């Protein structure tokens, strides 16, 4: 079952009937008040999961004019990307009187339970990337929770916001090919997120258009440690690529510094490019060629879109795609004016 008996979102009465328990017992479990047995708690949890039950704080909030609260679900908080995203989100929310509750799913043994609990404390939820699986997202939507997805494939009934990736990745890769690089390697796991998959698709399209074979990506996490590991492995490779197209700046910056420390010349022997245009990309030497995406704007727009859905200002879902910009610096060896 995915909803109440008439197709409407499930209520606490439906949960009680499904669990074969009293309303009072179910209420104590859901609100965390009063003593209940572990057996009763397990039955309520199972019934809530099967019915996709979420206590709709949004309806209560609007009815009594309560302060609007947003839930922001992220896969992680490590790295500069999330800092800029949060800055944009918090700035808009603060200016418009909303509070933000942040939940991180990485390392969480039961993220679905955590997010169901979160949904009972906020008016709507923003989900970034692969922080939640698709069934959980669809379950929240069916339960009537206003949802905005960032860097995620569009889902019926949910707003989505993402930066353009495929065309920019193709443009970047084509530029490297035009300047004689024939042994390019994509660093990053396309299965880790929609935006990374789009970047790899653009990389592959550029190679296909030249009739070249597309190498399998180096599937690693989007972390500094992974970038160091990839570069270290290349130092002893029998055949070294002449270019690394990295899925984010953390990978690229770590690879670049590791190669240089081993006396591998960048960009003469190998070019390195990234994605995001974090602050450090401007200050390393050589400067990191990358693709700038509007990270703070992603956060700002997500906060605005969720507010529109929570208040009923807009009922139809919309998909926003923000433009990105190729930023040429010396690490790609193509020259800014060429």
């Amino acid at each position: 079952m995915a909803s109440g008996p008439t197709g409407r979102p499930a209520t606490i009465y439906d949960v009680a009937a499904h669990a074969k328990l009293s309303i009072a017992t179910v209420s104590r479990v859901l609100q965390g008040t009063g003593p209940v047995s572990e057996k009763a708690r397990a039955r309520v949890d199972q019934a809530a999961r099967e019915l996709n039950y979420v206590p709709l704080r949004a309806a209560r909030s609007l009815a009594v004019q309560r302060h609007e609260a947003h839930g922001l679900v992220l896969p992680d908080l490590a790295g500069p990307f999330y800092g800029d995203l949060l800055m944009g989100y918090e700035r808009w929310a603060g200016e418009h009187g909303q509070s933000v509750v942040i939940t991180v799913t990485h390392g969480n043994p039961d993220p679905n339970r955590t997010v169901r609990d979160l949904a009972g404390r906020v008016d709507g939820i923003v989900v970034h990337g692969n922080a939640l699986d698709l069934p959980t997202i669809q379950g929240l939507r069916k339960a009537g929770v206003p949802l905005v997805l960032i860097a995620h494939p569009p889902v019926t009934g949910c707003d989505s916001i993402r930066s353009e990736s495929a065309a920019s990745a193709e443009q970047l890769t084509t530029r490297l090919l035009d300047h004689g690089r024939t042994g390019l390697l994509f660093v990053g796991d396309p299965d880790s997120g929609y935006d990374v998959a789009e970047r790899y698709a653009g990389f592959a399209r550029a190679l296909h258009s030249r009739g070249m074979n597309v190498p399998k990506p180096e599937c690693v996490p989007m972390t500094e440690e992974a970038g160091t590991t990839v570069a270290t492995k290349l130092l002893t490779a029998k055949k070294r690529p002449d270019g690394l197209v990295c899925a984010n700046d953390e990978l690229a910056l770590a690879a670049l510094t590791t190669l240089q420390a081993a006396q591998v010349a960048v960009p003469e022997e190998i070019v390195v490019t990234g994605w995001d245009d974090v602050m450090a990309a401007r200050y390393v030497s050589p400067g990191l060629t990358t693709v700038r995406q509007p990270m703070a704007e992603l956060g700002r727009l997500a906060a605005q879109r969720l507010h529109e859905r929570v208040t009923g200002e807009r009922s139809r879902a919309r998909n926003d795609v923000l433009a990105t910009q190729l930023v040429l610096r010396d690490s790609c060896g193509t020259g800014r004016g060429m």
Side-chain angles (χ1 to χ4, degrees):
M1 294 178 70
S3 61
T6 62
R8 53 169 169 73
T11 68
I12 190 173
Y13 301 99
D14 298 319
V15 175
H18 197 66
K20 296 182 173 58
L21 293 168
S22 70
I23 294 291
T25 298
V26 172
S27 178
R28 286 199 297 272
V29 172
L30 294 175
Q31 296 183 33
T33 58
V36 291
S37 69
E38 285 302 315
K39 185 176 180 181
R41 188 182 306 279
R43 285 166 61 181
V44 172
D45 285 346
Q46 181 178 353
R49 281 197 305 271
E50 292 177 355
L51 294 171
N52 281 321
Y53 170 77
V54 172
L56 292 182
R57 182 189 187 278
R60 302 197 304 272
S61 174
L62 294 176
V64 297
Q65 307 241 316
R66 290 176 62 182
H67 178 74
E68 185 178 315
H70 293 187
L72 185 53
V73 182
L74 304 174
D76 209 333
L77 281 176
F81 173 88
Y82 295 110
D84 287 345
L85 180 79
L86 285 171
M87 181 179 66
Y89 201 104
E90 289 274 9
R91 182 173 296 164
W92 196 93
E95 289 173 353
H96 293 81
Q98 286 100 39
S99 60
V100 182
V101 181
I102 300 170
T103 294
V104 176
T105 59
H106 178 71
N108 187 324
D110 191 356
N112 294 347
R113 169 69 183 270
T114 300
V115 170
R116 285 200 308 274
D117 291 343
L118 173 67
R121 298 187 288 124
V122 298
D123 298 294
I125 291 177
V126 172
V127 180
H128 184 276
N130 61 350
L132 296 177
D133 59 24
L134 184 58
T136 300
I137 290 172
Q138 291 175 329
L140 291 169
R141 181 184 63 81
K142 290 176 182 177
V145 178
L147 287 173
V148 175
L149 310 177
I150 302 177
H152 191 284
V155 174
T156 300
C158 304
D159 287 355
S160 68
I161 304 168
R162 61 183 175 88
S163 294
E164 188 283 317
S165 288
S168 295
E170 182 177 9
Q171 179 188 6
L172 171 60
T173 306
T174 297
R175 188 175 184 90
L176 300 179
L177 295 173
D178 286 344
H179 287 78
R181 302 293 171 165
T182 58
L184 299 176
L185 176 65
F186 185 90
V187 183
D189 185 358
D191 290 335
S192 67
Y194 180 60
D195 48 359
V196 180
E198 288 285 284
R199 290 164 202 172
Y200 181 64
F203 170 84
R205 198 157 61 209
L207 293 172
H208 274 308
S209 69
R210 301 294 178 91
M212 301 171 66
N213 291 328
V214 179
K216 291 182 179 180
E218 187 73 21
C219 293
V220 295
M222 308 271 279
T223 63
E224 178 184 348
E225 293 78 11
T228 299
T229 299
V230 169
T232 301
K233 186 168 68 172
L234 292 180
L235 296 176
T236 57
K238 291 182 179 179
K239 185 178 181 181
R240 188 183 297 164
D242 61 9
L244 301 181
V245 178
C246 299
N248 74 352
D249 286 347
E250 283 185 79
L251 288 168
L253 290 166
L256 187 153
T257 54
T258 301
L259 291 168
Q260 287 190 309
Q263 306 303 311
V264 176
V266 178
E268 291 81 7
E269 295 180 61
I270 183 169
V271 301
V272 180
T273 69
W275 198 285
D276 287 335
D277 196 27
V278 301
M279 182 182 296
R282 295 166 232 166
Y283 297 111
V284 291
S285 181
L288 181 66
T289 289
T290 185
V291 175
R292 180 180 298 148
Q293 64 167 327
M295 296 172 284
E297 176 64 11
L298 282 170
R300 187 204 68 77
L301 190 58
Q304 180 182 341
R305 294 287 178 257
L306 186 59
H307 172 70
E308 292 168 358
R309 295 302 292 272
V310 166
T311 60
E313 180 180 331
R314 177 174 50 81
S315 57
R316 293 188 61 183
R318 59 179 294 169
N319 299 318
D320 293 289
V321 180
L322 305 185
T324 53
Q325 178 186 355
L326 179 59
V327 180
L328 296 172
R329 299 191 180 102
D330 293 339
S331 73
C332 71
T334 70
R336 301 187 190 192
M338 298 175 64

